[in-house]
Amino acid sequence: MHTLEVGLGARSYSIRIGTPLTAEIRAVVDALRAAGKPVALVTDQAVARKQAKFLAAIAGDIPTITIPKGETSKSFRQLERICEFLAAERVDRSGALIAVGGGVVGDLAGFAAAAYLRGIAFYQVPTTLLAMVDSSVGGKTGINLKAGKNLTGAFWQPNAVYADTGVLATLPKREFSAGMAEVIKYGLLADASLFNQLASLNEPLHAEHPALAGVILRCCELKAQIVGDDERELKPSGGRALLNLGHTFGHAIEAVAGYGAYLHGEAVGLGLVLAARLSQELGYISGEDVAKTTELIAHYNLPTRLREPLPVEQLLAAMKRDKKVRAGKLRFVVMRSLGTAETCDCVDEAVVDRLWRQVGAV
């Protein structure tokens, strides 16, 4: 078992990593209810089907709403459903919402918790590797628009995060690989030793790998440090924006290909390849570093080229609508070296065009 504190003053909270955590989560639910505070739960169809015993153990008979699985559920329609559900269950301002699922469930439920009655308590119980290492920590919540990924949302920190690694045993291999994109991202942007550890493992990480809990902990430590220093991504350079390494490219892929065509982590994996190539173009890292990055991403069956050609014009347009744009300029995260990153808004659009074409855009 590991415990990590996210230091945000009055909004500080703990992350628990290990297995089993069912008794701890149930104790929180029971304590809230014993204090007369209404509690509700959001999950998705896949978790409801594969983790029925886990859900019953942590939640008992609390009111539960189930959303469709997949990125398309990060929508106004599902946000409305959750808020109407909370109202129907008479959840008041003393109440709490528990999100049990991957990044989609956490982002959507967190935004609902931020918006409903102008804010209620919120607990994250991530069930995917991606959510455990990234999206459940830091308080970014939101939904997608047709124009782009996560363009509507709120900063709303959870009251606690419970990452029970035991639930990863039922996670499909494709979903686990998608989570590895975010793990690799942390090595590339802030911890070369983590990157080297991943590259030197005798066997790829998997749900039962003895190194997994420690890797999850390290990713959460890195994110907690960055979020604690720049919670609302307000620093003019560096800061929380560094967590977007690969995401300016990845979000464009998701938007243009259609949400769901690529898992988020798959799009980020290819985005990391492009970020590495951009870093080389700027003279920061070597071709050997790009090759190491690409090899590790491919090692986890993540795409290093577009599966089908996408129009460069549409990809560039999607990038320009990204929430990381500042004063009309594209803003990228690039690597000064493997394990060190910085923000950059001085990239020529012709360079970006060429990079897209290198991975199969037309």
Side-chain angles (χ1 to χ4, degrees), residues 59-284:
D61 62 351
I62 67 172
T64 298
I65 183 171
T66 302
I67 65 169
K69 175 180 168 56
E71 193 70 29
T72 55
S73 282
K74 285 177 61 171
S75 66
F76 280 109
R77 171 72 186 107
Q78 296 302 325
L79 177 67
E80 179 184 27
R81 279 190 67 220
I82 293 172
C83 291
E84 291 287 3
F85 160 75
L86 294 172
E89 294 296 336
R90 299 182 180 180
V91 175
D92 59 31
R93 284 181 174 171
S94 72
L97 186 62
I98 301 174
V100 185
V104 168
V105 172
D107 285 1
L108 174 63
F111 190 22
Y116 179 70
L117 299 179
R118 298 185 178 87
I120 62 172
F122 168 51
Y123 294 83
Q124 285 267 26
V125 184
T127 61
T128 66
L129 178 61
L130 188 149
M132 289 183 185
V133 300
D134 191 71
S135 62
S136 68
V137 180
K140 275 190 176 181
T141 72
I143 59 175
N144 304 327
L145 302 182
K146 291 179 181 179
K149 176 102 170 181
N150 296 333
L151 292 184
T152 301
F155 288 96
W156 194 249
Q157 298 294 343
N159 290 61
V161 178
Y162 296 94
D164 191 323
T165 55
V167 302
L168 296 177
T170 63
L171 191 68
K173 289 183 179 179
R174 184 184 175 194
E175 292 270 4
F176 190 94
S177 291
M180 283 304 302
E182 295 285 1
V183 175
I184 294 167
K185 177 194 80 174
Y186 281 105
L188 290 172
L189 74 89
D191 190 343
S193 63
L194 173 61
F195 179 87
N196 291 330
Q197 177 191 1
L198 296 172
S200 62
L201 289 172
N202 291 328
E203 60 174 335
L205 279 183
H206 53 78
E208 287 81 30
H209 198 291
L212 181 62
V215 168
I216 294 172
L217 174 65
R218 183 57 183 147
C219 293
C220 290
E221 286 175 341
L222 291 168
K223 185 161 190 180
Q225 290 169 8
I226 293 169
V227 170
D229 186 52
D230 184 25
E231 180 184 3
R232 300 179 71 87
E233 202 169 312
L234 296 176
K235 286 194 170 184
S237 63
R240 186 166 184 161
L242 296 177
L243 297 170
N244 294 313
L245 179 65
H247 284 60
T248 301
F249 292 107
H251 286 173
I253 293 168
E254 290 183 90
V256 175
Y259 295 118
Y262 288 77
L263 296 178
H264 175 63
E266 292 173 337
V268 168
L270 179 48
L272 293 173
V273 172
L274 286 160
R277 292 188 179 193
L278 176 58
S279 302
Q280 182 188 16
E281 287 271 351
L282 296 173
Y284 295 154

Side-chain angles (χ1 to χ4, degrees), residues 14-76:
S14 62
I15 304 169
R16 289 281 284 155
I17 303 166
T19 192
L21 294 177
T22 48
E24 288 188 37
I25 302 167
R26 183 58 178 266
V28 171
V29 172
D30 289 345
L32 289 167
R33 298 180 82 184
K37 299 177 180 180
V39 186
L41 184 146
V42 179
T43 192
D44 70 17
Q45 293 168 342
V47 176
R49 182 176 68 255
K50 294 182 179 180
Q51 296 291 342
K53 290 183 179 179
F54 178 74
L55 285 168
I58 66 172
D61 62 351
I62 67 172
T64 298
I65 183 171
T66 302
I67 65 169
K69 175 180 168 56
E71 193 70 29
T72 55
S73 282
K74 285 177 61 171
S75 66
F76 280 109

Side-chain angles (χ1 to χ4, degrees), residues 2 36 77 88 113 167 235 286 292 307 349 359:
H2 303 282
R77 171 72 186 107
V167 302
K235 286 194 170 184
S286 67
K292 287 179 182 178
R307 293 175 183 144
E349 190 172 306
V359 297

